Amino acid sequence: MCGYCITIVSALLWPALPTLYILPVLIVVAITACKRVPFIAGSLIAMSWISLFYALLMGWNTGERVDTLNVETEIISFVHTNGDRISMDITLIDPVSPHILNRKLRLTWRDAPPVAPGQRWLLSIKPKPITSTLNQGSFNQQKNLLAKHIIGKGWVVSGQMLTSAPDYRTRLITALKSVLADEESGDLLLALVAGDRSLISSARWQQLRNTGTGHLFAISGLHLSVVSLWLLLLARFFLYRYSAVNSRRNWLLCLAVSALGAIGYAYLAGFSVSTQRALIMLLAFICFSVLKTHSSSWERLLYALFIVLVLDPLSMLSAGFWLSFSALAIILLTVTQYRFSDEAYSANIGLSAGVSVGPSRLLALWNKLRTAGLSFWAVQWRLTLGLCVVQAIFFSGASLASLVVNLLLVPWFTLLLIPISLLSLLFFILLSHLGLSAAGIFSLAAYIMSPVVSILDYSSSVGFIWLDLADDVIAALMVALIGLYLMVNFKQGRWRILLSVMFIPLLLITMFRFVPIDDRRWQVHLLDVGQGLSLVIEQNKRAIIYDTGARYGNNFSYAERVLEPFLKSHGIQQLDYLIVSHGDNDHAGGAEVIIRHNPKVKVISDLAAELGVELTPVQQVSCRPKTFQWQSLTLEVLAPSEATSGNNGSCVIRVSDMSNSVLLSGDIEKTAELELIADTHNRGTNLQSHVLIAPHHGSKTSSTEAFIDAVSPELVLFPAGFRNRWGFPRKEVVERYQKRNISTLTSGESGQISILFNRKTMKIRTYRSDFAPFWYNQVFRFGLIKNPE
């Protein structure tokens, strides 16, 4: 089991999965090695299972250029609603594939009829692959979709309802929503009693993140343990008082009641990864108790990890998996190393373990309370510190209030909120079955939830409660925490001195924050923002942004989803210039967001007065030809010579140092290209550049041969989305560059493209090939049955 689990988890770092052709060999070797080297056997079984599981999951029989598909589906849940469009997750009804695969699609339906989870539909869809934008610091959607077994996206063209018989959980959640809608904390109560978080708004999610309390509303080990313990105590009270027998019957019945209660609660939670882990651990403990078999907590953790990874080897791709198992491992480490006992308490007050402390019940009670308090404190601060690191890895930040808030709320949830909420749920179910009104049944639970809501609301008014961390800071913190843990466990002074070097990266990063160095190296990052353009020029933790990508509706902006997280991950401390080339949404859609978050930024654009944010005259810089210095770089505004609307009015800028140069061309087309060549020739300025951001995403109306020859780049980058509907970059345009031996890269295919300029050298790195070259980050296409390599 250890070999299996370690190998599955290590698959996070594999560049590719083993092909199906070598699986028979792996299985034969695994069977042969079972007795002599079981660890290796488990490892080989893991390699075989994850490869087979992935192949079965992704082997959806579609064509690469399929237009529409008819699929029989069941609606699972709604993701969000935006105007007349709904986004929903559906599962494919396929009697041939194993049910454990549970293939899903994420579909968008415009002007949809009334739909509800649990309904079965025959849908005609236009499918899309799950390939998504990939950038440093931003959310990895395709990895998240794979973890949820979502193998494709698409648009619904039409649909025909087959059945409208949702399961019991769906009907219960629908009824709960109608009752909890009037409660201020209805969204939190619904998440707590039924594991449904669809009512939680983005603002509420922000509050949960800022306070580190999201785990309290994701049904997991804490919740199942509380339910099981309360049921065990109640069953034991009644059975031993009113039906006492001289056998193990009552104890076995108590365990059965506890297990059934935990299974029922897990069912309400939809058997999420964290719920599965907790349930497996709990059932394993109950089984060992029934069989009178001793097992350590670490063994039960291993059983839970093994079973979860056998049932779903892709669950290790989700953040919830790591948060859940990391939390339990930290708790077990703490309990194992720091056992608070009555003897320890006696030693603390100067008494030996063998000295009696007297018959006083009050003293004994105080001793137990003190022991419980110290144990809770030891677990909580280590849990907070450890999970802050895990949280920082996945969310690029950590909550500064997590420790204090959890110290207050965990006992509150354990002793009051969870029992009262579930008791209210039981009465709600009972009254509903009897046909009676259940209005106000959750009033007491809502009242007990009110302090939690107050704490969450207060967190919104505190700006420093969430700390954004750059990637290098997170790495240094991880090394420092590992060093701290090792130093605590190594008692020899020479080892402690040696391990202290693990604090050096964190000390250096802290020092450079206060005493910055002048680094002549600079970087250009072409971000992957779908069919749009956003580029960051970085030097000495300062930046210039050229365009911001698109904005769609009120809920989605690439500036918020990609650009801002990227700046935070690189530790950008100062944004000096925002250049908005022209007014198209795919270039200027996020300008308002960037200006609002950076109120002192200077805006270079002919649209400065039209960006929806008030700017001072000092902040507004036009796109008329000019030259100015930014640190060690020269910025030349080359065009347009006069303000012009449309693509040909794009602000063209050349960025250079003594050895390297980059030309940012916006969306200029043939006419503007020829004018640019003439203007630069008349002014005696240089158009030649080492790197060119292709005009107009590589459309056939731009990148004329004269323009290519005038720029004469070594590398051209196409800011174009994967399989975009315009077919950018056009094949004939790419061929024009390649015919001149000019290298080409497309952001939609490569993800983020970063170029590091160091004197006369130029190093190119892409997200899919260099930053995270893992199998789940590769390009996914329909019809791809083999593993991505």
Side-chain angles (χ1 to χ4, degrees):
M1 285 193 291
C2 284
Y4 178 90
C5 294
I6 291 173
T7 303
I8 291 290
V9 170
S10 71
L12 276 170
L13 304 177
W14 296 357
L17 297 178
T19 62
L20 297 179
Y21 303 109
I22 68 170
L23 293 193
V25 177
L26 292 178
I27 294 172
V28 170
V29 175
I31 294 173
T32 306
C34 272
K35 288 188 176 181
R36 295 195 175 186
V37 276
F39 185 92
I40 301 299
S43 179
L44 295 176
I45 291 171
M47 295 171 63
S48 304
W49 177 228
I50 192 173
S51 301
L52 180 61
F53 189 93
Y54 172 84
L56 292 173
L57 180 69
M58 299 300 293
W60 195 31
N61 189 21
T62 65
E64 168 67 17
R65 291 293 177 182
V66 67
D67 185 24
T68 58
L69 287 173
N70 294 321
V71 292
E72 185 178 345
T73 67
E74 179 179 333
I75 299 175
I76 303 172
S77 62
F78 296 124
V79 181
H80 61 79
T81 302
N82 188 4
D84 60 345
R85 294 180 298 177
I86 62 171
S87 178
M88 58 186 182
D89 289 342
I90 60 99
T91 184
L92 294 169
I93 307 300
D94 186 359
V96 178
S97 67
H99 181 69
I100 192 174
L101 296 178
N102 202 17
R103 292 194 187 110
K104 303 173 185 176
L105 300 177
R106 177 160 292 179
L107 303 178
T108 302
W109 198 343
R110 189 189 297 272
D111 298 323
V115 294
Q119 294 177 343
R120 289 197 175 189
W121 287 75
L122 180 62
L123 300 177
S124 177
I125 65 171
K126 289 187 175 181
K128 297 192 306 180
I130 62 171
T131 298
S132 60
T133 60
L134 290 178
N135 302 275
Q136 289 177 298
S138 60
F139 180 66
N140 189 333
Q141 189 190 52
Q142 67 182 58
K143 178 182 174 184
N144 180 62
L145 294 178
L146 269 180
K148 296 179 178 179
H149 295 194
I150 296 175
I151 62 173
K153 298 184 287 186
W155 286 84
V156 177
V157 178
S158 60
Q160 176 186 352
M161 183 185 294
L162 300 178
T163 61
S164 179
D167 59 16
Y168 177 75
R169 178 174 182 264
T170 302
R171 297 196 304 271
L172 177 62
I173 290 174
T174 302
L176 285 171
K177 285 182 178 179
S178 62
V179 173
L180 295 173
D182 297 332
E183 301 287 351
E184 180 187 4
S185 58
D187 55 343
L188 300 178
L189 285 172
L190 182 63
L192 187 62
V193 300
D196 186 281
R197 292 175 282 181
S198 59
L199 295 182
I200 299 180
S201 63
S202 57
R204 184 76 86 187
W205 276 120
Q206 191 79 4
Q207 293 176 344
L208 295 176
R209 187 199 70 165
N210 289 349
T211 55
T213 54
H215 67 99
L216 296 176
F217 299 96
I219 299 175
S220 57
L222 171 68
H223 307 74
L224 292 185
S225 300
V226 170
V227 170
S228 299
L229 181 60
W230 277 100
L231 288 176
L232 184 69
L233 293 176
L234 288 173
R236 187 177 184 276
F237 174 80
F238 285 105
L239 288 174
Y240 280 77
R241 178 176 290 267
Y242 299 108
S243 182
V245 293
N246 190 21
S247 68
R248 298 184 69 228
R249 186 201 69 180
N250 284 352
W251 178 242
L252 295 178
L253 288 175
C254 291
L255 292 176
V257 170
S258 178
L260 290 175
I263 293 172
Y265 196 20
Y267 167 76
L268 290 178
F271 292 107
S272 63
V273 172
S274 57
T275 310
Q276 288 179 33
R277 183 267 306 164
L279 182 63
I280 292 169
M281 285 278 297
L282 192 62
L283 294 180
F285 176 81
I286 291 174
C287 288
F288 291 134
S289 299
V290 171
L291 299 174
K292 293 185 177 181
T293 303
H294 171 74
S295 65
S296 70
S297 299
W298 290 109
E299 287 177 316
R300 292 195 288 273
L301 177 63
L302 176 61
Y303 299 148
L305 181 63
F306 176 73
I307 294 172
V308 167
L309 292 178
V310 166
L311 294 177
D312 182 9
L314 299 186
S315 63
M316 50 82 183
L317 296 176
S318 69
F321 171 88
W322 288 96
L323 288 169
S324 178
F325 278 98
S326 297
L328 197 52
I330 292 169
I331 292 172
L332 292 180
L333 272 174
T334 304
V335 172
T336 301
Q337 293 188 355
Y338 300 91
R339 294 185 182 277
F340 293 92
S341 62
D342 292 338
E343 291 81 7
Y345 171 69
S346 299
N348 286 337
I349 61 174
L351 299 175
S352 65
V355 176
S356 174
V357 296
S360 172
R361 291 187 178 182
L362 186 61
L363 182 60
L365 179 61
W366 166 249
N367 190 4
K368 290 181 179 180
L369 290 175
R370 179 184 173 87
T371 299
L374 290 174
S375 301
F376 178 72
W377 165 251
V379 169
Q380 198 61 48
W381 78 259
R382 290 174 176 84
L383 196 61
T384 300
L385 193 61
L387 290 187
C388 274
V389 176
V390 180
Q391 189 181 45
I393 294 172
F394 285 99
F395 307 112
S396 300
S399 171
L400 298 179
S402 175
L403 178 60
V404 175
V405 173
N406 280 281
L407 282 173
L408 294 173
L409 293 188
V410 169
W412 187 260
F413 271 68
T414 303
L415 300 176
L416 285 176
L417 190 52
I418 293 177
I420 296 299
S421 298
L422 292 181
L423 195 61
S424 302
L425 176 64
L426 291 177
F427 279 114
F428 174 81
I429 293 173
L430 179 62
L431 292 176
S432 299
H433 279 294
L434 296 176
L436 301 175
S437 173
I441 197 70
F442 286 95
S443 297
L444 179 58
Y447 179 76
I448 299 175
M449 182 71 80
S450 56
V452 180
V453 175
S454 299
I455 292 175
L456 296 179
D457 290 339
Y458 178 74
S459 70
S460 302
S461 61
V462 182
F464 60 85
I465 202 170
W466 176 262
L467 180 64
D468 292 304
L469 298 173
D471 290 345
D472 56 352
V473 176
I474 295 172
L477 280 173
M478 290 178 60
V479 174
L481 284 176
I482 294 172
L484 179 63
Y485 175 78
L486 294 175
M487 287 179 68
V488 170
N489 287 277
F490 281 90
K491 304 303 181 183
Q492 297 87 350
R494 63 178 183 273
W495 280 108
R496 290 187 172 184
I497 294 173
L498 184 62
L499 290 168
S500 65
V501 301
M502 300 183 74
F503 292 91
I504 292 178
L506 186 59
L507 292 175
L508 289 176
I509 288 176
T510 305
M511 182 181 69
F512 290 147
R513 294 276 173 167
F514 295 100
V515 188
I517 60 174
D518 185 16
D519 191 354
R520 293 286 171 168
R521 296 177 301 173
W522 57 291
Q523 298 182 68
V524 171
H525 310 279
L526 178 63
L527 303 183
D528 183 9
V529 290
Q531 185 51 41
L533 172 60
S534 183
L535 181 139
V536 177
I537 303 167
E538 175 189 355
Q539 188 178 39
N540 292 321
K541 300 299 182 182
R542 295 165 61 185
I544 295 174
I545 293 177
Y546 183 87
D547 286 343
T548 62
R551 176 176 185 149
Y552 301 105
N554 297 322
N555 300 321
F556 185 90
S557 169
Y558 278 113
E560 292 180 332
R561 299 292 182 92
V562 172
L563 193 46
E564 286 285 341
F566 173 83
L567 297 176
K568 293 173 183 176
S569 72
H570 274 239
I572 302 296
Q573 300 170 1
Q574 182 176 332
L575 178 62
D576 294 319
Y577 291 98
L578 168 63
I579 305 169
V580 182
S581 64
H582 63 299
D584 286 356
N585 180 51
D586 60 330
H587 292 254
E592 180 184 353
V593 172
I594 298 300
I595 297 171
R596 190 172 67 247
H597 291 173
N598 303 273
K600 295 182 180 180
V601 67
K602 290 185 178 180
V603 179
I604 302 177
S605 177
D606 289 333
L607 303 167
E610 305 171 20
L611 296 177
V613 180
E614 186 176 350
L615 299 171
T616 64
V618 178
Q619 289 181 274
Q620 302 182 41
V621 182
S622 71
C623 284
R624 302 295 73 76
K626 60 178 69 68
T627 300
F628 57 94
Q629 287 295 127
W630 180 72
Q631 301 189 82
S632 64
L633 304 180
T634 301
L635 271 68
E636 303 172 74
V637 183
L638 302 177
S641 56
E642 60 182 31
T644 306
S645 62
N647 291 340
N648 285 330
S650 297
C651 196
V652 180
I653 292 183
R654 184 175 182 269
V655 185
S656 61
D657 61 8
M658 299 297 293
S659 306
N660 302 289
S661 53
V662 178
L663 184 64
L664 314 175
S665 58
D667 270 359
I668 61 173
E669 297 178 325
K670 180 178 179 180
T671 303
E673 289 179 355
L674 297 178
E675 291 179 358
L676 180 61
I677 295 172
D679 289 344
T680 52
H681 182 267
N682 294 334
R683 292 196 300 265
T685 54
N686 188 12
L687 198 59
Q688 190 278 329
S689 302
H690 292 84
V691 178
L692 169 66
I693 308 303
H696 201 192
H697 315 283
S699 75
K700 63 181 180 182
T701 60
S702 59
S703 294
T704 59
E705 295 191 2
F707 178 76
I708 297 174
D709 292 335
V711 179
S712 187
E714 298 176 12
L715 171 68
V716 61
L717 306 180
F718 293 103
F722 177 72
R723 285 186 60 182
N724 61 86
R725 58 178 174 173
W726 294 278
F728 295 157
R730 300 303 291 262
K731 182 179 179 181
E732 57 268 32
V733 173
V734 176
E735 289 176 349
R736 286 180 208 161
Y737 289 101
Q738 292 178 343
K739 187 169 62 176
R740 292 166 171 79
N741 295 320
I742 299 171
S743 301
T744 63
L745 287 172
T746 304
S747 58
E749 296 279 349
S750 302
Q752 170 194 323
I753 304 170
S754 295
I755 305 170
L756 173 63
F757 295 103
N758 185 14
R759 297 181 181 178
K760 295 184 179 181
T761 63
M762 182 175 71
K763 185 175 182 180
I764 305 165
R765 294 181 294 178
T766 68
Y767 192 95
R768 285 193 166 95
S769 299
D770 300 288
F771 294 119
F774 310 128
W775 58 272
Y776 48 84
N777 283 336
Q778 304 308 307
V779 173
F780 291 91
R781 307 176 190 271
F782 283 108
L784 181 66
I785 298 179
K786 294 188 295 183
N787 297 332
E789 299 185 32

